[in-house]
Amino acid sequence: MAWTGTPSFLFVDQDPMWLAAMRRASRDLPGPKHFARSAEEAQGLIEAQVPSVIVSGYGLPEEDGLSLLERVLKQHPKVACVLHTARPPKLLRSARGIALVEKSSAPTALEAVLRALWVALTGRLPSSVTPR
């Protein structure tokens, strides 16, 4: 049975340009969206309200994004996690339960992953998005 609420999203990246790209990639998806520039800021947002989906860049000021996502999954196993990175996947340690979207991918790749997660969480297409 699909979850019936509206998914919420947290995007984390120290680079404001990548945060802007994530904002564009998620603009057609209903639901709350929050943005953080550090793992510390993200943790504060998570403590206030656990999101349905977290997308994090790898390079963050205090720790790497993969460590952040691993910690979140340990504390909140139902959160969908995506690592948005420029690092080649072979250089990353195993990240069980964490999706990977390379920053070198077309912008539509991140949009497609976000849309697929929204559908997986709700069991329906968002009304503001037409299938591609």
Side-chain angles (χ1 to χ4, degrees):
M1 176 176 235
W3 178 60
T4 58
T6 300
S8 59
F9 294 84
L10 171 60
F11 299 94
V12 187
D13 202 298
Q14 72 174 350
D15 185 334
M17 300 279 285
W18 281 114
L19 279 179
M22 290 185 218
R23 189 178 306 272
R24 285 188 303 277
S26 65
R27 71 178 164 238
D28 290 336
L29 296 176
K33 297 168 194 85
H34 301 280
F35 300 85
R37 293 191 60 193
S38 68
E40 182 179 349
E41 186 180 353
Q43 190 61 46
L45 290 168
I46 293 165
E47 288 170 8
Q49 178 68 47
V50 178
S52 310
V53 177
I54 299 176
V55 179
S56 180
Y58 185 82
L60 300 175
E62 305 88 19
E63 69 178 308
D64 66 76
L66 182 54
S67 295
L68 168 67
L69 295 175
E70 288 171 335
R71 188 175 71 250
V72 168
L73 273 179
K74 189 179 251 185
Q75 296 169 347
H76 308 283
K78 293 187 178 190
V79 173
C81 293
V82 179
L83 184 65
H84 190 229
T85 182
R87 291 172 97 56
K90 65 183 179 186
L91 296 181
L92 298 171
R93 62 188 178 275
S94 175
R96 299 186 88 184
I98 298 173
L100 175 70
V101 176
E102 294 185 57
K103 287 183 175 179
S104 62
S105 302
T108 54
L110 181 57
E111 290 173 22
V113 168
L114 295 174
R115 190 171 43 258
L117 287 170
W118 203 95
V119 170
L121 289 168
T122 65
R124 62 188 191 280
L125 284 174
S127 58
S128 62
V129 176
T130 55
R132 293 183 191 230

